[in-house]
Amino acid sequence: MNYDLSSIDVGIIIIYGLFLLGMGVYFYRKSNTSEQFMVAGRGIPSWAAGIAVMSTYTSSISYIAVPGKAFDDNWHPLIFALTAIPVTWFVTKYVIPHYRKHKIISVYSYLEEKLGGWGRIYAAFSFLLFMVGRVAVILYLSSLLLSSFVHTEISTLIVIVGAITIIYTLMGGMEAVIWTDVMQSIIMIGGIFFVGYVLMDEVLAQPDNLIQKAFDNNKFSLGDPDFSLSSRTIWVMVIYGLTENVRNLMADQNYTQKYSSVATEREAKKSVWIAMLIYLPLTAIFLFIGTALFSYYSGDAHLLNESITKGDEVFPFFIATELPIGIKGLMIAAIMAASMSTVDSALNSSATVFYLDFYKKYFFAGSSKKRSLTVLRWSTIFWGILGITFALLMIKAKSALDVWWQISGIFGGGILGLFLLAIYNVKISKLQGILTVLFSIVIIVWGTFLRDLPEPYSWLACTIDPIIIGATSTAGLIALALLFMVFNRKK
């Protein structure tokens, strides 16, 4: 569905894109070593690193898919944000001190020290696949919004948005990533507060009091409290939230590289707390917007276009039909900011992992400064193009948030298990470690593909909610590793 944009709105979006490219050019002069490209010389202030970590959490997935999920269902995504608080305590107390002590840039080098090279290779490769999926989902969602306003095919917009992000990321490195993230976060937060205020005024107004529609339909529920793992219950979201947040802050280069860009351990811890204390209330606002949109379009005065078939499309429709000229352009720029601030991080961290964990480790350990930068920049382009390619395949997805949750579970599950073994010094042999990883992969394959089997094989079918397959594979990996450890002690 297409909406019209005024010349003012179009101008705002164009200026925003040009400004990002300008920031890339500005930081290009500073990004003259591989360490500067990867961790900005460890000179980023904690508040900026914290905002950058938060911006990685809040992409177009938050801006479009979270309100869409609240519109379609309820507030169960809030559980994910709530579980981030105890996880932050765990990571700042037990994980960050380990990483700072070893002066880690690629977090997967920690696995080699604790478990061996096999752990590093598996985790790094899984991370790269995970980042391709993340970039694809985010580019798709941001282009979905933009395609509603610009009379251009969504596939063309995916390529344009991806190309702009690739260019300023490869030019400016981590310093450009973090400072553009700060700027983009300010735009994003301002936009979401404005829309939240507008909708709150509408749905709470008397005598209509449209918010009652949401209460009547149980839209503020956190989910089914029954202890079941086969549907999206509260317990499923708790399991998913705990495991995924630990994986994010402990085992995901996308996050660890940002809090590694500050000067001290204390600053690193502070940056993570800043990120989470902003992320939690922002998630509540995103969910409120989705619920308020449900109430808004449940009344008689405002009707959704009949062509809208899923919650992901409702917020763009509201922006197009209800917001004034100028504000509309700023909101679109805000969503593009949320998208690009996550994609740039994914591209920079993917380039870093490829360079440190594969290229430098196994091929050219003694590369010159110039060659190292060239590899980092060309790998940024490569992973960006791969993300764009898979984004084009996302166009027919029913729910982008569900797709993202499944991708994160599939590619993230085994990685977390290995980091937990490493942090607690679980000693197993190389062969045993490989077997634990293979076991976790078998669980992932079972949980992903063996569903709704015909009657003779129904006993093999997985009935666990797809978003906790990663958690299940992590549990399986750890359980088998502990059995091996007990066996080793008895020998």
Side-chain angles (χ1 to χ4, degrees):
M1 185 173 182
N2 289 108
Y3 315 108
D4 291 326
L5 279 181
S6 71
S7 56
I8 295 175
D9 294 318
V10 173
I12 289 171
I13 297 170
I14 292 174
I15 290 170
Y16 170 72
L18 293 174
F19 187 74
L20 288 177
L21 293 175
M23 290 186 75
V25 172
Y26 174 77
F27 287 110
Y28 178 76
R29 295 174 298 169
K30 295 186 175 184
S31 185
N32 53 15
T33 68
S34 58
E35 185 177 11
Q36 189 70 32
F37 188 92
M38 293 183 289
V39 289
R42 300 190 190 273
I44 299 296
S46 60
W47 64 267
I51 291 175
V53 171
M54 181 278 300
S55 71
T56 305
Y57 266 92
T58 52
S59 62
S60 54
I61 294 174
S62 297
Y63 233 107
I64 298 176
V66 172
K69 182 60 69 174
F71 183 92
D72 287 334
D73 297 319
N74 52 40
W75 277 45
H76 71 259
L78 183 63
I79 297 173
F80 179 87
L82 290 170
T83 57
I85 300 303
V87 167
T88 300
W89 174 84
F90 168 77
V91 169
T92 54
K93 186 171 179 63
Y94 296 105
V95 176
I96 289 179
H98 278 273
Y99 292 171
R100 298 299 300 197
K101 178 181 178 181
H102 297 279
K103 298 180 180 179
I104 287 173
I105 294 179
S106 168
V107 73
Y108 307 113
S109 63
Y110 180 72
L111 290 181
E112 181 174 24
E113 179 181 334
K114 293 288 186 175
L115 301 176
W118 63 270
R120 181 178 186 175
I121 292 172
Y122 171 75
F125 184 68
S126 295
F127 169 78
L128 291 174
L129 294 178
F130 178 60
M131 283 299 100
V132 171
R134 184 178 181 85
V135 169
V137 172
I138 293 167
L139 285 178
Y140 159 72
L141 282 172
S142 57
S143 301
L144 173 68
L145 169 78
L146 202 55
S147 67
S148 300
F149 298 93
V150 180
H151 299 286
T152 306
E153 290 292 327
I154 186 173
S155 56
T156 303
L157 294 172
I158 287 173
V159 173
I160 292 172
V161 174
I164 291 174
T165 311
I166 290 171
I167 290 169
Y168 80 75
T169 304
L170 72 89
M171 292 182 71
M174 179 54 72
E175 194 161 7
V177 167
I178 288 181
W179 289 113
T180 54
D181 283 0
V182 170
M183 181 270 293
Q184 291 165 332
S185 295
I186 293 170
I187 296 172
M188 179 190 71
I189 292 171
I192 205 69
F193 269 94
F194 176 81
V195 173
Y197 171 78
V198 169
L199 280 169
M200 183 172 64
D201 185 59
E202 290 284 345
V203 300
L204 296 179
Q206 298 293 340
D208 292 339
N209 195 22
L210 294 174
I211 199 66
Q212 187 61 44
K213 299 278 187 179
F215 284 104
D216 293 342
N217 286 271
N218 209 27
K219 288 292 182 179
F220 289 100
S221 169
L222 294 179
D224 188 346
D226 291 344
F227 192 81
S228 170
L229 301 182
S230 61
S231 59
R232 201 63 52 85
T233 62
I234 289 175
W235 302 107
V236 163
M237 288 304 300
V238 168
I239 293 170
Y240 175 75
L242 289 172
T243 54
E244 187 64 11
N245 279 307
V246 171
R247 191 199 60 75
N248 284 343
L249 295 177
M250 178 183 183
D252 190 330
Q253 182 73 16
N254 208 18
Y255 298 86
T256 62
Q257 193 169 336
K258 287 182 175 179
Y259 66 67
S260 295
S261 299
V262 301
T264 66
E265 177 185 320
R266 182 175 179 273
E267 293 288 287
K269 292 178 178 180
K270 184 178 176 182
S271 69
V272 176
W273 275 113
I274 288 171
M276 293 304 104
L277 293 177
I278 298 174
Y279 173 66
L280 178 57
L282 266 185
T283 300
I285 296 172
F286 283 125
L287 290 166
F288 172 78
I289 286 174
T291 303
L293 287 170
F294 174 85
S295 299
Y296 186 78
Y297 290 113
S298 294
D300 297 327
H302 308 280
L303 297 175
L304 278 174
N305 190 287
E306 59 184 16
S307 65
I308 292 177
T309 58
K310 53 185 179 180
D312 291 347
E313 299 170 336
V314 176
F315 195 14
F317 177 79
F318 175 81
I319 293 171
T321 57
E322 301 297 336
L323 295 185
I325 292 174
I327 298 298
K328 191 182 300 183
L330 287 171
M331 281 302 303
I332 297 170
I335 298 177
M336 300 306 295
S339 304
M340 291 180 168
S341 65
T342 306
V343 173
D344 60 18
S345 304
L347 297 181
N348 184 272
S349 59
S350 295
T352 298
V353 167
F354 173 77
Y355 170 71
L356 291 177
D357 296 293
F358 294 100
Y359 179 84
K360 188 175 181 180
K361 175 70 178 174
Y362 296 103
F363 299 104
F364 298 97
S367 294
S368 65
K369 180 175 73 172
K370 183 178 179 181
R371 186 181 181 89
S372 296
L373 273 174
T374 300
V375 171
L376 284 165
R377 290 192 166 116
W378 275 108
S379 57
T380 299
I381 295 171
F382 173 79
W383 295 112
I385 291 174
L386 203 58
I388 290 170
T389 301
F390 280 89
L392 297 174
L393 301 177
M394 282 285 303
I395 293 173
K396 295 183 179 180
K398 182 179 179 181
S399 171
L401 189 58
D402 286 338
V403 171
W404 167 240
W405 280 344
Q406 290 185 44
I407 289 173
S408 62
I410 292 169
F411 293 125
I415 300 177
L416 174 58
L418 291 180
F419 273 88
L420 291 173
L421 295 182
I423 201 92
Y424 289 109
N425 291 308
V426 176
K427 301 297 183 182
I428 54 178
S429 70
K430 178 180 179 180
L431 176 60
Q432 290 170 341
I434 293 172
L435 289 174
T436 61
V437 168
L438 290 175
F439 183 55
S440 73
I441 293 172
V442 169
I443 294 174
I444 290 170
V445 171
W446 168 69
T448 304
F449 300 107
L450 298 186
R451 293 181 176 272
D452 302 319
L453 298 178
E455 187 56 40
Y457 308 101
S458 59
W459 60 276
L460 275 173
C462 176
T463 58
I464 298 173
D465 190 294
I467 71 166
I468 58 169
I469 294 304
T472 307
S473 71
T474 297
L477 184 150
I478 292 172
L480 184 57
L482 292 176
L483 285 175
F484 282 136
M485 185 181 70
V486 172
F487 174 77
N488 294 339
R489 288 178 176 177
K490 290 182 177 181
K491 290 174 64 177

